[in-house]
Amino acid sequence: MASVVDSEEEVVDDMAGTYDTVTSEVHHFSKEEVLDAEQGAVLSRFDFVYPSYMEMDNNCPVLTPLIDPDGDLQVTRKKDLHKKEGVVLIEQYLFFSKGREHQSATTLDLVGEQVWRGALFLADFILHHPEIFRDAHILEVASGVGLTSTVAAMLAKQVIITDVDRGEILELVNSNIKRNLDLLKANVEVKEIDFYNHVTIDDITDLIKNVSVLIAADVVYHNQLTDAFFRTVLRLMGDPPDKTMYVALEKRFVFTLENLDTVAPCYDHFIQGLEWLRHQNMSQIDWTIEQIPTNFEQYFTYERTKHLVLWKIQAKLK
């Protein structure tokens, strides 16, 4: 089986094969305490700095916007990032191997149990744009261990965190939310949405009826799952009210002998999915799909690579 890697050194000679592993280096940028070495369970500390519009009161963020003389929102600059520090505590499952702290690859059925770089990237975007997320009703799909939703809940009125109910992922998300209650402003619910079973959406229709903002991070690592993701996006964004979705992801490259070049096949398939979505239900929905500039401030500690991208999908109902 071929592997998807985030470097350009892997050689793949069968592009028709299934990509069954992905690579994460986020653990290099977090501080971790081993909870269960046999199971690979760790409690990770993700350090961040509060944006300047958040004032601290008894260790809890208080949303106080700071406005410059031109009426623009002030945000923290990199030279000021040491001033107000915070931490998000996340339990996740990593793998241990002889001679190395963690393995570099994770099988696809376990990717939801780790934090990925796209989640931190989207968390930065959320903190940088309080005008989008403050007091909003937010739904995260394919949430994994819940880091991005935790950050969204620092600003929002309601955050609904969803993933497929497999293994202990939803229980893990609930535990992580409890670990970070002192950070949260929003009412938080943890529910199942299975991309392959939209009955799970029917089951929470009343709960998500006010959602206007959707978020997703690093959902692109397997083409069949990407197709199911877009079918789910279509279903969710076809219901009122009008919705905007932000999708953060990291392109992962492989070198193919067939093309003698590095390519990002899973990302290319994602772009095809965007085009598919753009042409769905056009008589009922006006779609706007665009890539967002990535030069917003960085608040979390991680390596922000050029392969991180952010897409905005808007659905205006006719």
Side-chain angles (χ1 to χ4, degrees):
M1 293 289 186
S3 296
V4 177
V5 298
D6 58 0
S7 69
E8 298 183 359
E9 299 176 354
E10 183 82 358
V11 177
V12 178
D13 59 6
D14 181 12
M15 290 300 294
T18 301
Y19 298 97
D20 61 354
T21 63
V22 287
T23 300
S24 172
E25 295 181 349
V26 169
H27 59 269
H28 295 309
F29 306 104
S30 61
K31 303 170 185 176
E32 293 159 359
E33 172 189 349
V34 176
L35 300 178
D36 186 331
E38 183 176 346
Q39 297 296 322
V42 300
L43 182 63
S44 298
R45 173 191 174 103
F46 292 93
D47 295 322
F48 70 97
V49 293
Y50 284 96
S52 59
Y53 62 83
M54 287 185 177
E55 292 182 355
M56 299 298 294
D57 181 15
N58 296 327
N59 295 321
C60 294
V62 178
L63 302 182
T64 303
L66 301 180
I67 307 299
D68 66 19
D70 296 324
D72 297 323
L73 182 69
Q74 293 183 13
V75 296
T76 304
R77 301 302 172 190
K78 284 189 175 180
K79 65 179 182 295
D80 300 320
L81 290 186
H82 65 283
K83 290 187 176 179
K84 300 176 184 178
E85 297 182 352
V87 60
V88 176
L89 296 175
I90 296 292
E91 181 180 349
Q92 56 179 327
Y93 287 87
L94 303 176
F95 289 91
F96 300 89
S97 59
K98 294 180 180 179
R100 297 180 62 183
E101 182 180 359
H102 301 110
Q103 286 179 290
S104 61
T106 303
T107 57
L108 291 183
D109 59 340
L110 297 174
V111 296
E113 297 180 353
Q114 296 183 30
V115 173
W116 299 85
R117 193 154 22 203
L120 294 166
F121 186 57
L122 184 54
D124 280 342
F125 179 78
I126 291 169
L127 290 177
H128 191 71
H129 286 285
E131 74 282 3
I132 297 173
F133 299 96
R134 182 187 284 117
D135 296 327
H137 292 259
I138 297 172
L139 170 66
E140 181 173 17
V141 298
S143 67
V145 291
L147 181 141
T148 307
S149 282
T150 298
V151 175
M154 293 167 61
L155 292 163
K157 183 175 182 178
Q158 180 189 43
V159 177
I160 303 151
I161 311 174
T162 69
D163 209 323
V164 62
D165 189 5
R166 182 175 59 195
E168 300 179 353
I169 188 64
L170 298 185
E171 180 181 344
L172 187 59
V173 174
N174 271 307
S175 296
N176 285 330
I177 291 300
K178 291 177 181 177
R179 284 188 173 90
N180 295 283
L181 282 177
D182 60 331
L183 297 176
L184 308 186
K185 170 191 173 187
N187 176 49
V188 176
E189 299 277 354
V190 179
K191 298 292 181 180
E192 180 183 24
I193 287 184
D194 183 346
F195 293 168
Y196 295 100
N197 180 11
H198 288 182
V199 171
T200 56
I201 300 175
D202 297 334
D203 291 342
I204 59 172
T205 298
D206 288 342
L207 182 63
I208 65 176
K209 64 183 179 181
N210 294 319
V211 166
S212 61
V213 177
L214 292 85
I215 57 175
D218 271 329
V219 294
V220 177
Y221 49 83
H222 186 279
N223 289 352
Q224 290 181 342
L225 185 62
T226 299
D227 293 340
F229 164 74
F230 278 112
R231 290 193 296 269
T232 302
V233 170
L234 177 62
R235 166 65 193 278
L236 290 169
M237 299 190 78
D239 295 330
D242 294 346
K243 294 178 175 64
T244 302
M245 184 172 200
Y246 298 93
V247 185
L249 51 94
E250 182 174 1
K251 300 178 187 178
R252 292 181 170 86
F253 289 86
V254 293
F255 181 85
T256 68
L257 296 177
E258 177 183 357
N259 298 319
L260 295 179
D261 197 4
T262 54
V263 295
C266 293
Y267 181 70
D268 292 342
H269 193 80
F270 173 80
I271 296 300
Q272 294 173 13
L274 288 174
E275 286 303 308
W276 174 85
L277 184 66
R278 193 192 303 270
H279 293 92
Q280 301 306 305
N281 294 2
M282 296 176 64
S283 61
Q284 291 87 35
I285 304 174
D286 281 331
W287 295 100
T288 302
I289 300 175
E290 59 183 332
Q291 191 171 347
I292 298 177
T294 59
N295 58 348
F296 46 87
E297 294 288 341
Q298 181 170 343
Y299 301 96
F300 278 86
T301 302
Y302 65 102
E303 182 183 2
R304 186 181 284 190
T305 76
K306 64 181 180 180
H307 302 312
L308 287 164
V309 296
L310 184 63
W311 284 88
K312 177 181 178 181
I313 303 169
Q314 288 181 294
K316 184 175 182 180
L317 304 182
K318 298 181 179 178

